[in-house]
Each structure stands twice: as C-alpha cells, then as structure tokens.
Amino acid sequence: MTEENDAFADNQAEREQAKALRERARSGGLRFEAYLPGSMADWVLERVEGGWFADPSEAVFAIVSNYIDLEPHRDLRDELLRRQLDASLEDVKAGRVRDLDEVMDELRREVTKPRPEPAHWEKIAR
C-alpha cells in the first residue's frame, strides 16, 4: 500500500464504490454531493457572486482541473508547500501561536456542539 493509501485505509467501501463507478463515470461523468466548511463555502460563493464561476459546481471543476494540471509538477507543488510552511513559521516568529491545551479544548468543544443545517445549492434550470 502506498503512503497516500495508508491515510485512507478505513474507507474500503468508498474505494470499492469508486472502482465500481469508474467505467460509467468515464463515459458519463460523475455527479456527487460535496460539503464545504463555512470558510471554503464563503470563498466559493463570493466567486460565484463576483461572476468568476457560474455556480459552485463550476468552481469545483476548475479547482480539480488545476490540481490535475499541477500534479505532475512536483517541484511546483513542493514550492507551494514550502511557502505555506514559511508563512506558518512567520506566525510562530511573530508570536501568533496558541497553547496546545487551549487549542485542543476548543476543538473538543467544536466537535461536540450541534451544527446548523448546511446551505444547499439548487441548480437553476435554464
């Protein structure tokens, strides 16, 4: 098993479903529901409002296309990761860090609190 597969070793049912759908998806595409947390949803909806994308589906299509285009360019991916890590180190150097116990307590509270019903995008028939 590769390192990437090890991270998802507990999703055997999803992996089997992907295998079963692959041939049909090659010819007819793949439709699925996606959940985005608030900050990501806000980013996508802001771009739809601004006319960058027609709808959230188009945004996901463009982002996945960019990811596929970037995949063979490991040097660029590594550079992007390095820049993200450098930005994180700048936060540490500037003192913009929090105590681990404080963060863990906050995460426990977040995980246990009830979640509001997510917004649902409806495709507009034209």
Side-chain angles (χ1 to χ4, degrees), residues 103-122:
V103 171
M104 293 305 292
D105 289 343
E106 183 179 332
L107 286 173
R108 284 186 200 95
R109 284 191 304 275
E110 284 295 316
V111 167
T112 58
K113 77 180 188 183
R115 297 275 176 222
E117 190 67 27
H120 185 83
W121 182 270
E122 296 290 331

Side-chain angles (χ1 to χ4, degrees), residues 59-74:
V60 170
F61 178 85
I63 292 163
V64 170
S65 294
N66 283 339
Y67 185 86
I68 290 168
D69 290 346
L70 192 57
E71 196 170 29
H73 305 288
R74 185 172 180 92

